[in-house]
Amino acid sequence: MSVSSRKTAPSLIQEILSHLGLANKTAAWGTLGTLRTFLSFTVDKDVQRLLRAITGQGVDRNAIVAVLTNRSREQRQLISRAFQERTQQDLLKSLQAALSGNLEKIVVGLLQPMAQFDAQELRTALKASGSAEDVAMEILATRAPPRLQECLTVYKHFQVEAEEDIKSETSGILQDLLLALAKGGRESYSGIIDYNLAEQDVQALQQAEGPSTEETWVLIFTRRNPEHLIRVFDQYQQYTGQELEEAVRNRFHGDTQVALLSLASVIRNTPLYFADKLHQALQDTEPNCQVLMRILISRCETDLLSIRTEFKKKFGKSLYSSLQDAVKGECQSALLALCRAEDI
């Protein structure tokens, strides 16, 4: 058989998959998310179930959680539109009126389009004291380029560009980092290793010790692709005998140090970065539910399985058990449903 015929003829596996119901449902086939497309989805049944949960004798919170945490975001949007058509009522407003506290916040996050959810979280972070280097960095550094661009487009609904808020609410290198990430100029990985560029970047970072050299750090951290940067991090340690993160701690302080260390963590291992944030949010006497909600909602359809794996590997206890032990109240069941299962 010729090379060209091998390329065009479907493989036996492809032929078998084409006859399976899951073949064209990528959200349920090979996803690293915990929340997947519900294969037996019937929008009318879900609308009726939610309507009964809201209007029956007492609010059926369990039914609301069961529906919304077992449907993909696309399916939840279909439910919202169908609910409006059938009842002439806005589902989000109806649920907000029926719920309160953290459970209400989770439901709002689940029903919003992802770009709107991210934009609101970014706006809140930039306007809140001491959040820009943490939450804004998280959103700008971890969202895939198309998703980030959607977020920044929706941000304009606040009658301001995200870049304008970054300029007004931050300063110095932190501002430079956030602006560079918001511009989305990070290079994509071509599959070709540029050894010369990696060595140039290592030398540039070694030499960027004096004043007015911060621009070098910003450019390399925000423009190079993660695969390239991991090679730079490794070579930096080989040449200097210390991890690049240690150089950041010695060179920078305050918000800038926190932002650069967060960015380095994202580059090295994004699921581990989120596992660390979840663990930290669970350590306080009163768990930080805002952090837990933001991460679980934003990652449940992308890589929460990977985050769970890193969490168990590093801390010796599953994320599911940690949530069970630390979180109390009505929002516990929703967070556990998004986490989905125990890791043995």
Side-chain angles (χ1 to χ4, degrees):
M1 184 183 289
S2 68
V3 173
S4 60
S5 64
R6 284 200 300 269
K7 288 181 178 179
T8 57
S11 69
L12 178 59
I13 293 175
Q14 289 173 321
E15 186 175 350
I16 293 172
L17 288 176
S18 69
H19 295 290
L20 295 176
L22 295 178
N24 61 350
K25 299 182 184 299
T26 54
W29 188 264
T31 179
L32 290 174
T34 56
L35 198 159
R36 307 174 182 189
T37 299
F38 188 60
L39 300 181
S40 300
F41 178 60
T42 305
V43 68
D44 286 333
K45 287 184 179 179
D46 286 344
V47 168
Q48 290 301 319
R49 190 176 180 188
L50 289 173
L51 190 57
R52 287 195 300 270
I54 296 170
T55 59
Q57 188 172 3
V59 178
D60 190 344
R61 293 171 178 80
N62 290 334
I64 294 169
V65 169
V67 172
L68 298 183
T69 61
N70 282 286
R71 307 294 183 268
S72 68
R73 190 167 294 273
E74 181 182 358
Q75 289 175 327
R76 296 194 296 272
Q77 294 301 303
L78 291 173
I79 293 170
S80 292
R81 289 197 287 271
F83 190 94
Q84 176 76 44
E85 293 170 1
R86 310 299 195 270
T87 67
Q88 307 305 308
Q89 299 176 52
D90 183 274
L91 177 59
L92 181 56
K93 290 180 180 178
S94 298
L95 288 170
Q96 284 180 295
L99 303 171
S100 60
N102 286 327
L103 181 56
E104 178 191 348
K105 292 178 182 177
I106 293 173
V107 166
V108 170
L110 288 170
L111 282 174
Q112 287 177 321
M114 198 66 245
Q116 184 179 345
F117 176 79
D118 282 343
Q120 184 62 62
E121 290 291 314
L122 180 58
R123 170 79 167 177
T124 301
L126 289 173
K127 292 299 180 181
S129 175
S131 293
E133 75 281 7
D134 180 23
V135 183
M137 178 62 67
E138 173 192 317
I139 293 171
L140 294 174
T142 65
R143 300 321 189 234
R147 179 168 159 183
L148 179 58
Q149 288 310 306
E150 288 179 22
C151 164
L152 298 178
T153 298
V154 172
Y155 198 99
K156 297 175 185 177
H157 295 170
F158 300 121
Q159 308 302 314
V160 65
E161 299 266 359
E163 289 186 5
E164 292 177 38
D165 273 347
I166 291 172
K167 290 176 182 176
S168 65
E169 302 296 334
T170 64
S171 59
I173 310 169
L174 173 61
Q175 181 185 102
D176 294 339
L177 283 167
L178 295 177
L179 286 173
L181 290 170
K183 288 177 181 176
R186 191 178 293 283
E187 300 158 354
S188 58
Y189 181 52
S190 65
I192 299 174
I193 300 173
D194 192 332
Y195 293 97
N196 289 332
L197 182 60
E199 186 148 347
Q200 289 172 20
D201 285 345
V202 169
Q203 291 175 357
L205 291 172
Q206 284 182 274
Q207 296 166 7
E209 297 294 334
S212 304
T213 58
E214 294 89 350
E215 185 179 343
T216 300
W217 291 81
V218 173
L219 186 149
I220 293 173
F221 268 61
T222 62
R223 293 293 298 277
R224 306 292 190 249
N225 67 71
E227 291 81 3
H228 173 87
L229 284 170
I230 289 172
R231 182 171 295 278
V232 169
F233 290 0
D234 290 344
Q235 287 188 212
Y236 186 94
Q237 185 171 1
Q238 290 173 14
Y239 291 171
T240 66
Q242 68 172 353
E243 289 189 343
L244 191 64
E245 287 86 344
E246 190 60 33
V248 170
R249 294 186 185 95
N250 294 334
R251 172 74 173 78
F252 301 99
H253 305 281
D255 293 349
T256 301
Q257 182 189 99
V258 172
L260 282 169
L261 289 175
S262 293
L263 195 48
S265 180
V266 170
I267 291 163
R268 281 192 186 276
N269 187 334
T270 300
L272 179 58
Y273 162 80
F274 280 115
D276 283 333
K277 294 198 75 170
L278 287 167
H279 185 259
Q280 183 61 46
L282 289 164
Q283 292 312 294
D284 299 330
T285 306
E286 193 72 28
N288 191 330
C289 286
Q290 188 61 37
V291 173
L292 298 175
M293 289 185 289
R294 183 181 65 252
I295 295 176
L296 290 178
I297 290 172
S298 66
R299 311 308 294 190
C300 65
E301 294 185 58
T302 53
D303 59 356
L304 190 49
L305 286 176
S306 297
I307 294 169
R308 276 172 32 185
T309 299
E310 295 292 350
F311 191 99
K312 178 72 180 292
K313 187 191 304 181
K314 182 168 183 177
F315 303 110
K317 184 178 180 179
S318 73
L319 176 59
Y320 193 91
S321 291
S322 299
L323 290 168
Q324 268 186 323
D325 293 343
V327 180
K328 308 302 177 186
E330 294 177 343
C331 74
Q332 186 201 60
S333 62
L335 293 178
L336 290 175
L338 293 174
C339 184
R340 191 58 80 206
E342 181 67 85
D343 294 303
I344 306 302

